[in-house]
Amino acid sequence: MLTDKINELLKEVQDLHAANAEELEALRLKYLSKKGIINDLMNDFRTVAADQKREVGMKLNELKKQTQDRINALKEQFEALSESKNDADLTRTAYPVKLGTRHPLTLVKNEIIDIFGRMGFTLADGPEVEDDLHVYTKMNFAADHPARDMQDTFFVEQNAEDVVKNIILRSHTSSVQARVMEKTQPPIRVICPGRVYRNEAISARAHCFFHQVEGLYIDKGVSFTDLKQVLLTFAREMFGPDTKIRLRPSYFPFTEPSAEMDISCNICGGVGCSFCKHTGWVEILGCGMVDPNVLEACGIDSKVYSGYAFGMGIERIANLKYQVSDLRLFSENDVRFLREFEAAF
Ligand code: PHE
């Protein structure tokens, strides 16, 4: 009889729960106090036959121990909870804590994405560690094309003697265009923002990495006029409604014809200042009609489709927008510089 009861209680105490300190105290009183269940059992113990005393006694002790353990465990839980409620840092300032600010390059990038997004361009992304195929070959750079030198490529080395010429750090985000064209048939309308790398000595005007946004539009009957209108809209949205653009003939392996685009200097409004070297114009991007060779290399029928592409440096745009004269500021993370952009978003 007594053994059955003890066994039952042993099971019961395993599942004891208390929602608060009062409930826990009630449990303690119910099981462990002088008038509690276990003490009652101790009294009953006297009536146990002498030959069973040893076994029942051990069981009873076991029950008492398990009940104590369970109640102590619950107590510890409550204590831990109330301690964690009290760990507020009383030395912390009562003034609003300063949040971080967005990096100026991110601000400018987001604005560029926004402007082209409103014109129907979607985002495309690709790897920074790329192969030659997507950075150069599919972009119509012949193996011995001198334009490869233009880009000052970083090669990924496995060891000093064994330079893996095939794997490089992308030197422009045109590689993303190649990847998009391989996978998708026109109409294609994407912009590809991203970091690019060039083996240049670091100075106020050049860096070994910078950021670009390139755009690509391919469909039936796309013409240079479409390109010009989209770029004019971009320039006005970015630099204000009075901004003028001009296109100068240029050369890129992947576009034909190619051009570089200047905007009227947004610092002097086009009358001439030291920033625009008194010309009234500043260059902001390269562009052109996608070379049919590029379309064919990426599996797009150049007799059916045509397209345009453009590419700009985000640092360059940020420089014009915020007059940051030293490129290095963008990657040094000096908070005094970064905080200047607090109000910009
Ligand atoms: N890829 C070129 C660069 O890195 C920019 C560009 C893109 C020019 C698309 C024309 C068309 O300089």
Side-chain angles (χ1 to χ4, degrees), residues 4-236:
D4 289 347
K5 195 147 191 216
I6 295 174
N7 282 339
E8 228 172 72
L9 282 165
L10 269 170
K11 271 195 217 124
E12 192 178 307
V13 298
Q14 294 312 315
D15 295 329
L16 291 184
H17 284 290
N20 50 44
E22 283 90 328
E23 284 188 20
L24 184 64
E25 174 62 5
L27 287 179
R28 194 189 65 78
L29 289 173
K30 180 176 170 192
Y31 289 95
L32 296 172
S33 67
K34 271 209 172 117
K35 289 185 181 151
I37 294 174
I38 293 176
N39 233 7
D40 281 351
L41 292 179
M42 294 286 187
N43 292 336
D44 291 349
F45 181 66
R46 288 193 209 112
T47 63
V48 172
D51 59 338
Q52 288 175 20
K53 269 209 154 69
R54 189 181 137 81
E55 198 195 328
V56 177
M58 271 165 61
K59 268 222 137 75
L60 208 47
N61 281 338
E62 175 67 18
L63 174 64
K64 191 170 178 183
K65 187 177 175 306
Q66 293 225 6
T67 311
Q68 269 166 348
D69 286 350
R70 179 68 195 150
I71 285 179
N72 284 343
L74 290 171
K75 198 171 157 200
E76 266 169 34
Q77 270 177 25
F78 284 127
E79 277 168 5
L81 265 182
S82 62
E83 264 169 34
S84 69
K85 270 193 205 126
N86 271 336
D87 63 5
D89 178 0
L90 300 178
T91 62
R92 201 169 111 168
T93 172
Y95 299 107
V97 176
K98 270 201 185 239
L99 294 177
T101 58
R102 280 204 209 292
H103 194 280
L105 293 180
T106 308
L107 293 172
V108 172
K109 180 183 80 177
N110 288 347
E111 199 173 341
I112 298 171
I113 291 173
D114 225 53
I115 294 170
F116 284 108
R118 291 200 289 277
M119 292 192 267
F121 286 80
T122 54
L123 278 177
D125 201 4
E128 291 180 19
V129 181
E130 255 293 7
D131 51 20
D132 179 278
L133 187 68
H134 291 92
V135 179
Y136 294 131
T137 308
K138 289 204 174 198
M139 283 289 131
N140 199 34
F141 289 73
D144 55 354
H145 200 294
R148 279 176 195 257
D149 296 340
M150 265 165 53
Q151 308 275 7
D152 295 314
T153 309
F154 280 117
F155 295 94
V156 175
E157 284 176 65
Q158 277 186 333
N159 60 54
E161 290 100 51
D162 176 26
V163 177
V164 185
K165 282 244 157 70
N166 194 33
I167 304 294
I168 59 180
L169 298 184
R170 68 180 178 195
S171 54
H172 55 181
T173 50
S174 303
S175 52
V176 183
Q177 299 184 16
R179 287 189 177 273
V180 171
M181 285 188 273
E182 272 175 357
K183 277 196 299 244
T184 338
Q185 281 298 307
I188 292 172
R189 186 155 36 176
V190 290
I191 49 169
C192 326
R195 181 174 289 176
V196 299
Y197 301 83
R198 293 187 191 175
N199 192 357
E200 306 228 16
I202 297 170
S203 71
R205 302 179 59 86
H207 211 293
C208 58
F209 66 79
F210 60 99
H211 301 79
Q212 283 189 326
V213 176
E214 294 211 359
L216 176 71
Y217 179 37
I218 302 172
D219 205 344
K220 287 180 184 151
V222 178
S223 71
F224 204 97
T225 328
D226 300 315
L227 170 64
K228 197 173 168 188
Q229 187 57 43
V230 161
L231 294 180
L232 177 63
T233 306
F234 166 72
R236 289 187 170 160

